[in-house]
Amino acid sequence: MTTSSVALLFVLMTGASAMNLRAAVLREEQVSKQVHLPVANCEFSIRKDGPKGEAISGASLHTSLYYRIACDPGADKDNYCLMVTNCTVSGPGEEPYPIIDELGCSLEPWLFEHVEYEDDFTAGIHNPTPVRFRGPSGKVRFHCNTALSAKLDGKCSRHTCTWNEYKPDLD
């Protein structure tokens, strides 16, 4: 298991001319006093068979896996929620292969299900058929973008994926 910090960044774009530089700095100072950057401590684990399954560090090809991300947002629990997007999987020395898109929807429905949320700060991806890459190592690298998103009207606003929205690659 690993622990990491999650932060959502706010960037202010300003003009580069000398005349509006002072005004831009003043606006930036005003905005920076109003912006709060949430931070959460997150833990990643692999579970056998589902979100309540035992934590494991290895599995056979016939074991159903559940990749779980659980975050502690501290004081920000009432204002933010976890978002998991853009997940990839790769083997040692291999290029990352996209499995979850920018909305949290599966790109490979026969291998990985959509991101599901147990609560505002816990997400998971069910992998009923584990993957293995060619090579001497059975290791798999799993990577997802995680961020805290502001709640709207006290609720998390997340895309609801459907099972029939898979798009064929048109390239």
Short mmCIF file of all heavy atoms in Angstrom, two decimals, residues 1 9 43 45-46 52-53 56 62-65 73 97 104 131:
data_model
loop_
_atom_site.label_atom_id
_atom_site.label_comp_id
_atom_site.label_asym_id
_atom_site.label_seq_id
_atom_site.Cartn_x
_atom_site.Cartn_y
_atom_site.Cartn_z
N MET A 1 0.83 -1.18 0.00
CA MET A 1 0.00 0.00 0.00
C MET A 1 0.88 1.24 0.00
O MET A 1 1.90 1.26 0.64
CB MET A 1 -0.87 0.03 1.25
CG MET A 1 -1.95 -1.03 1.27
SD MET A 1 -2.94 -0.84 2.72
CE MET A 1 -2.78 -2.46 3.39
N LEU A 9 -5.36 21.85 -8.46
CA LEU A 9 -4.64 23.09 -8.64
C LEU A 9 -5.51 24.12 -9.35
O LEU A 9 -6.29 23.79 -10.22
CB LEU A 9 -3.37 22.85 -9.45
CG LEU A 9 -2.39 21.88 -8.83
CD1 LEU A 9 -1.21 21.68 -9.77
CD2 LEU A 9 -1.90 22.40 -7.50
N GLU A 43 -4.96 6.23 0.15
CA GLU A 43 -4.34 4.91 0.25
C GLU A 43 -4.87 4.04 -0.89
O GLU A 43 -6.07 3.98 -1.13
CB GLU A 43 -4.69 4.29 1.58
CG GLU A 43 -4.07 2.94 1.81
CD GLU A 43 -4.44 2.38 3.17
OE1 GLU A 43 -3.87 2.84 4.17
OE2 GLU A 43 -5.33 1.50 3.20
N SER A 45 -5.12 0.22 -2.51
CA SER A 45 -4.98 -1.20 -2.17
C SER A 45 -5.63 -2.04 -3.25
O SER A 45 -6.47 -1.58 -4.02
CB SER A 45 -5.61 -1.50 -0.81
OG SER A 45 -7.00 -1.24 -0.82
N ILE A 46 -5.21 -3.30 -3.30
CA ILE A 46 -5.81 -4.26 -4.21
C ILE A 46 -6.56 -5.25 -3.34
O ILE A 46 -6.00 -5.81 -2.39
CB ILE A 46 -4.75 -4.98 -5.06
CG1 ILE A 46 -3.93 -3.96 -5.85
CG2 ILE A 46 -5.40 -5.99 -5.99
CD1 ILE A 46 -2.71 -4.54 -6.52
N LYS A 52 -14.89 -5.10 -0.22
CA LYS A 52 -14.78 -5.59 1.16
C LYS A 52 -13.86 -6.80 1.28
O LYS A 52 -13.66 -7.32 2.38
CB LYS A 52 -16.16 -5.95 1.71
CG LYS A 52 -17.17 -4.82 1.62
CD LYS A 52 -16.81 -3.68 2.52
CE LYS A 52 -17.91 -2.62 2.46
NZ LYS A 52 -17.47 -1.30 2.71
N GLY A 53 -13.27 -7.22 0.15
CA GLY A 53 -12.39 -8.38 0.16
C GLY A 53 -11.08 -8.10 0.87
O GLY A 53 -10.72 -6.96 1.16
N ILE A 56 -4.65 -7.76 -0.88
CA ILE A 56 -3.67 -8.72 -1.37
C ILE A 56 -2.56 -7.99 -2.12
O ILE A 56 -2.72 -6.84 -2.52
CB ILE A 56 -4.32 -9.78 -2.29
CG1 ILE A 56 -5.01 -9.11 -3.50
CG2 ILE A 56 -5.30 -10.64 -1.52
CD1 ILE A 56 -5.56 -10.09 -4.52
N HIS A 62 -6.90 -16.24 -12.29
CA HIS A 62 -8.30 -16.58 -12.08
C HIS A 62 -8.88 -15.89 -10.84
O HIS A 62 -9.95 -16.26 -10.39
CB HIS A 62 -8.46 -18.10 -11.98
CG HIS A 62 -7.97 -18.80 -13.20
ND1 HIS A 62 -8.62 -18.72 -14.42
CD2 HIS A 62 -6.87 -19.56 -13.42
CE1 HIS A 62 -7.96 -19.41 -15.31
NE2 HIS A 62 -6.88 -19.93 -14.74
N THR A 63 -8.20 -14.89 -10.32
CA THR A 63 -8.67 -14.16 -9.15
C THR A 63 -9.30 -12.85 -9.59
O THR A 63 -8.70 -12.08 -10.35
CB THR A 63 -7.49 -13.85 -8.19
OG1 THR A 63 -6.85 -15.08 -7.84
CG2 THR A 63 -7.97 -13.14 -6.95
N SER A 64 -10.49 -12.58 -9.12
CA SER A 64 -11.16 -11.31 -9.40
C SER A 64 -10.55 -10.24 -8.50
O SER A 64 -10.44 -10.42 -7.28
CB SER A 64 -12.66 -11.46 -9.12
OG SER A 64 -13.32 -10.24 -9.33
N LEU A 65 -10.12 -9.12 -9.09
CA LEU A 65 -9.45 -8.06 -8.34
C LEU A 65 -10.30 -6.80 -8.27
O LEU A 65 -11.12 -6.54 -9.14
CB LEU A 65 -8.11 -7.71 -8.99
CG LEU A 65 -7.11 -8.83 -9.14
CD1 LEU A 65 -5.87 -8.33 -9.88
CD2 LEU A 65 -6.73 -9.41 -7.79
N PRO A 73 -9.98 13.29 3.56
CA PRO A 73 -9.88 14.69 3.16
C PRO A 73 -9.67 15.66 4.31
O PRO A 73 -9.57 16.86 4.11
CB PRO A 73 -11.23 14.94 2.50
CG PRO A 73 -12.15 14.06 3.28
CD PRO A 73 -11.35 12.82 3.60
N TYR A 97 -1.27 1.49 -21.09
CA TYR A 97 -2.43 1.20 -21.92
C TYR A 97 -3.67 1.78 -21.24
O TYR A 97 -3.97 1.41 -20.09
CB TYR A 97 -2.56 -0.31 -22.09
CG TYR A 97 -3.68 -0.72 -22.99
CD1 TYR A 97 -3.54 -0.67 -24.37
CD2 TYR A 97 -4.91 -1.15 -22.47
CE1 TYR A 97 -4.58 -1.03 -25.22
CE2 TYR A 97 -5.94 -1.52 -23.31
CZ TYR A 97 -5.77 -1.46 -24.68
OH TYR A 97 -6.80 -1.81 -25.51
N GLY A 104 -14.15 8.66 -16.12
CA GLY A 104 -14.19 7.54 -15.18
C GLY A 104 -14.87 6.31 -15.76
O GLY A 104 -15.21 5.39 -15.03
N VAL A 131 -5.12 -8.98 -15.87
CA VAL A 131 -4.28 -8.99 -17.06
C VAL A 131 -2.85 -9.35 -16.70
O VAL A 131 -2.42 -9.14 -15.57
CB VAL A 131 -4.30 -7.62 -17.78
CG1 VAL A 131 -5.69 -7.32 -18.29
CG2 VAL A 131 -3.82 -6.52 -16.86
#
